[in-house]
Amino acid sequence: MQNFHPRLLKETPFLFFTGKGGVGKTSVACATAVNLTDQGKKVLLVSTDPASNLQDVFGMEFSNQPTKVDNVDGLYACNLDPEEAAKSYRDKVVDPFRGKLPDAVVDQMEEQLSGACTVEIAAFDEFTNLLTNLELIRDFDHVIFDTAPTGHTLRLLQLPNAWSGFLEESTHGASCLGPLSGLSEKKELYANTVKVLSDPNQTKLILVTRPDSSTFFEAERASSELKDIGIKNQLLIINGLLKKPMHNDEISSAFYNRQQNALKDLPTTLKQLETYSLPFVSYSLIGSESLRHLFKSYLLPSSAQESVELNSDNLMTINQTIDDLYFKNSRVILTMGKGGVGKTTIASLLAVGLAKRGKKVHLTTTDPAAHLEFMFKDEQVMDNLTISKIDPSAEVEKYKAEVILTAGAGLDEDALRYLEEDLNSPCTEEIAVFRAFADVVEKSIEEIIVIDTAPTGHTLLLLDAAKSYEKELSRSTGEVSDAVKNLLPRLRNPEETSVLIVTLPEATPVFEAMRLQQDLNRAGIQPKSWVINQSLYGTETLDPILSAKANSEKVWIKKVSEELTSQTTIVKWQSEDKLGIIEMKETF
């Protein structure tokens, strides 16, 4: 597989980098921007990421106006803040109703407009404004966008009812997008932007992924969604490939083999794309010199590596964390975090550890990848440990059918298409699994419930606002169970529930986990601790690249343990195929 180099893109003016959190899209976008300027190009780098860390990468502050980047001739950057844009959009829609509708109704409207999809719509609006500013654009050879809209958002904006009052009149309650009428005057502008995105002479959409199955799954889904609406000018970058390992280093051999096994199972959709790789590097991609180095070498000189002192007294092992949960007697334990950080692995370790200490434990997941089945296949589960799976696909289909049967009755064809697309939003899945999730939590009276993933703070607030448990669920079922009514108070009670946020020792996963913690805090849920998973720090690997990477992780471990939580657990990197039930038992 050929290494990626920005010279491959030198004739394309608009470059969109996209991919799930933690795959390195910001780093690759920044390194590409720096390299193109080194080729004599004038480049504008634009971030529309709510968790943007452009300021960390270049060591300077950015606003929504292009600013010259220090020490990089020809490079300008701006940080469009979709959170601020979403707030302005929310105020514009909600303010006319304040004082005219009951406070509870206004609260629900505000929460309806606080979801990730609304932020994405606002981000799309921001970069549409920039993309159509011809006076600005003609000053640059390239405009590079860090993050691109999803296929779902683009499909939604192409439907007629996105520009009508349909959502204002709709009461189906599934939407996390809220009324789009606040943007109705921009319909033609948005249509032109989608045309630019679809034009291979103007735009290249670059999917960034890591060499592991979960990120391949996300990239495949994004690629298919975008192709469905005509954006076929795609390129795939597999970021973080480790070169051949040292023969005498168990960690590097396992690391390498896991990546190679994932590559063998690369989805067919992705195999059809023009594909390149980038190496696994030992250093944080911070500063223009390290960004330049990405296309040259795996290692930086040791003098360029950061030196960070860690207080190991602040760090717990997974065994110590399990002991803490055991003595606290938590009845409900949630592992939460973005995709790909290892929530399933951590949930499994906690469940097995507590069961081995004599607790009766039920482990369940809402992970669509059926990861628990892989973890426990062909092995005897412990007597006091039971396992189940909430199937999001089945729950979503059931919920969609109920909503379309009720809210869809009497709608014309366009309105029905809008409703069906609206039901494809991420929040619909959370609401759909909510009932099954509540039923599982209700069993915590009899046993400890360990749950791999749970509804976000936004979804919980959406369902809670104006007694919307009853509103959302009675529309579909006509009744509300005690399990549903009791769920949020139970999750808010730290004596009963422990929330563990799982992340990785890297910039983007930490920033995304910060946003999740803020989201939960809004819902009155205080996370008990953070778990930093798959850390090379402390593995004693001899491989020069991996050991240097372990050193660069310390800045993020320090940030988490000293700034973001009072309790931090470190789980060392290990091959997933060693984490079956037998190995877990031996761990404890």
Side-chain angles (χ1 to χ4, degrees):
M1 192 185 302
Q2 184 182 344
N3 271 8
F4 172 74
H5 197 280
R7 62 174 167 265
L8 296 163
L9 307 170
K10 63 182 180 181
E11 302 304 323
T12 311
F14 301 121
L15 307 172
F16 284 81
F17 287 80
T18 190
K20 68 184 290 186
V23 297
K25 62 181 178 293
T26 297
S27 299
V28 177
C30 291
T32 298
V34 170
N35 190 276
L36 287 170
T37 59
D38 288 347
Q39 295 178 46
K41 304 290 186 179
K42 189 176 179 183
V43 177
L44 175 61
L45 174 62
V46 183
S47 175
T48 58
D49 191 336
S52 172
N53 58 327
L54 278 190
Q55 62 278 3
D56 299 311
V57 173
F58 291 108
M60 57 184 292
E61 293 299 318
F62 297 100
S63 68
N64 61 353
Q65 297 299 313
T67 302
K68 187 181 182 309
V69 176
D70 295 341
N71 305 315
V72 187
D73 290 339
L75 179 58
Y76 293 75
C78 59
N79 223 354
L80 305 182
D81 186 349
E83 296 278 11
E84 187 59 36
K87 182 181 182 303
S88 298
Y89 171 46
R90 190 161 55 243
D91 290 344
K92 179 180 178 182
V93 173
V94 175
D95 281 353
F97 299 99
R98 296 187 193 278
K100 298 176 183 177
L101 293 176
D103 289 346
V105 175
V106 173
D107 288 346
Q108 189 174 13
M109 288 178 66
E110 285 195 308
E111 193 55 49
Q112 191 89 346
L113 287 159
S114 296
C117 294
T118 302
V119 173
E120 191 179 321
I121 289 279
F124 184 69
D125 183 50
E126 288 285 295
F127 79 66
T128 293
N129 292 338
L130 193 146
L131 203 60
T132 53
N133 185 343
L134 299 180
E135 190 175 335
L136 175 67
I137 293 300
R138 68 168 61 100
D139 286 342
F140 296 95
D141 298 301
H142 298 279
V143 181
I144 297 177
F145 290 94
D146 171 25
T147 69
T150 65
H152 163 63
T153 294
L154 293 174
R155 280 199 312 270
L156 195 65
L157 290 170
Q158 287 181 320
L159 293 173
N161 281 94
W163 309 102
S164 73
F166 170 67
L167 270 177
E168 293 176 354
E169 299 163 10
S170 171
T171 57
H172 65 81
S175 174
C176 62
L177 292 171
L180 287 170
S181 58
L183 300 176
S184 59
E185 70 276 8
K186 297 190 174 183
K187 181 179 179 180
E188 189 175 341
L189 206 59
Y190 283 14
N192 289 336
T193 300
V194 174
K195 280 184 184 177
V196 171
L197 282 168
S198 306
D199 184 350
N201 295 316
Q202 295 188 76
T203 299
K204 180 74 78 174
L205 192 131
I206 300 152
L207 290 159
V208 183
T209 185
R210 293 274 191 186
D212 67 68
S213 300
S214 65
T215 55
F216 285 162
F217 171 77
E218 292 291 334
E220 179 187 33
R221 184 167 65 177
S223 176
S224 298
E225 278 194 340
L226 292 162
K227 281 182 180 176
D228 286 346
I229 55 172
I231 301 176
K232 300 176 182 177
N233 42 319
Q234 302 176 13
L235 178 150
L236 180 68
I237 296 177
I238 300 175
N239 186 31
L241 272 178
L242 186 70
K243 67 175 185 176
K244 273 219 159 182
M246 295 176 61
H247 294 297
N248 60 341
D249 186 68
E250 183 181 343
I251 296 292
S252 62
S253 295
F255 200 104
Y256 176 81
N257 290 335
R258 193 164 97 181
Q259 290 191 343
Q260 293 302 310
N261 288 335
L263 286 171
K264 289 175 186 174
D265 296 325
L266 186 70
T268 304
T269 303
L270 298 183
K271 285 179 181 177
Q272 297 167 357
L273 299 179
E274 184 182 354
T275 302
Y276 300 90
S277 65
L278 278 171
F280 185 93
V281 296
S282 58
Y283 47 90
S284 295
L285 288 159
I286 303 292
S288 56
E289 286 311 305
S290 69
L291 292 169
R292 287 187 173 99
H293 221 72
L294 178 62
F295 305 114
K296 298 177 183 176
S297 172
Y298 300 128
L299 286 166
L300 275 176
S302 57
S303 59
Q305 292 287 332
E306 299 175 71
S307 179
V308 175
E309 293 298 321
L310 277 180
N311 181 0
S312 58
D313 293 341
N314 293 340
L315 307 177
M316 299 172 67
T317 65
I318 192 70
N319 257 318
Q320 290 171 324
T321 300
I322 293 168
D323 283 339
D324 185 48
L325 292 168
Y326 174 85
F327 289 115
K328 184 187 173 189
N329 198 31
S330 296
R331 306 307 300 166
V332 180
I333 299 168
L334 308 176
T335 59
M336 299 185 71
K338 293 294 182 179
V341 296
K343 298 184 296 294
T344 304
T345 300
I346 299 304
S348 301
L349 286 169
L350 297 176
V352 171
L354 288 166
K356 189 169 184 185
R357 286 160 174 78
K359 295 287 189 181
K360 188 178 180 183
V361 181
H362 182 76
L363 170 64
T364 190
T365 184
T366 58
D367 182 0
H371 202 63
L372 281 183
E373 293 173 14
F374 167 77
M375 302 277 282
F376 293 101
K377 67 180 180 180
D378 302 326
E379 293 179 358
Q380 183 63 47
V381 177
M382 302 162 71
D383 290 339
N384 53 340
L385 173 63
T386 55
I387 297 169
S388 68
K389 176 187 169 188
I390 297 169
D391 183 351
S393 298
E395 297 293 336
V396 166
E397 288 309 309
K398 184 166 69 172
Y399 181 77
K400 281 183 180 179
E402 291 171 352
V403 170
I404 289 172
L405 185 65
T406 53
L411 295 180
D412 63 28
E413 187 178 342
D414 283 343
L416 192 59
R417 281 179 64 208
Y418 187 94
L419 174 58
E420 289 171 345
E421 183 55 51
D422 186 36
L423 285 166
N424 287 325
S425 89
C427 287
T428 298
E429 182 174 301
E430 286 194 28
I431 291 171
V433 301
F434 184 75
R435 291 172 289 186
F437 175 81
D439 290 338
V440 170
V441 172
E442 189 76 356
K443 296 175 183 175
S444 63
I445 297 168
E446 304 163 11
E447 55 193 345
I448 292 175
I449 307 297
V450 180
I451 301 173
D452 166 29
T453 72
T456 63
H458 162 64
T459 297
L460 291 170
L461 281 172
L462 183 64
L463 292 167
D464 188 46
K467 296 189 179 294
S468 58
Y469 295 123
E470 287 85 352
K471 287 189 176 182
E472 299 295 338
L473 294 173
S474 64
R475 284 179 189 136
S476 305
T477 65
E479 60 182 24
V480 181
S481 68
D482 288 340
V484 169
K485 291 178 181 177
N486 294 337
L487 180 58
L488 190 55
R490 182 166 282 161
L491 296 182
R492 284 173 169 160
N493 181 3
E495 298 301 316
E496 190 170 2
T497 299
S498 291
V499 175
L500 284 73
I501 292 181
V502 185
T503 189
L504 301 176
E506 300 172 14
T508 300
V510 168
F511 288 130
E512 290 188 335
M514 286 169 59
R515 293 185 67 220
L516 173 59
Q517 180 160 270
Q518 292 164 0
D519 195 25
L520 291 169
N521 288 341
R522 286 195 312 118
I525 298 170
Q526 305 299 320
K528 175 178 173 55
S529 64
W530 283 41
V531 179
I532 299 176
N533 193 30
Q534 297 285 37
S535 175
L536 290 163
Y537 172 72
T539 58
E540 299 179 357
T541 176
L542 301 174
D543 184 275
I545 295 172
L546 295 185
S547 60
K549 177 65 173 176
N551 183 58
S552 72
E553 288 179 355
K554 291 194 289 186
V555 64
W556 301 108
I557 297 172
K558 185 179 179 74
K559 182 176 182 66
V560 170
S561 61
E562 296 185 8
E563 298 178 28
L564 300 174
T565 182
S566 59
Q567 186 173 307
T568 305
T569 301
I570 297 282
V571 179
K572 294 179 185 178
W573 190 94
Q574 48 196 310
S575 176
E576 282 186 357
D577 58 12
K578 289 189 175 182
L579 284 180
I581 189 79
I582 294 171
E583 287 78 14
M584 287 186 202
K585 286 180 181 177
E586 292 173 353
T587 301
F588 308 119

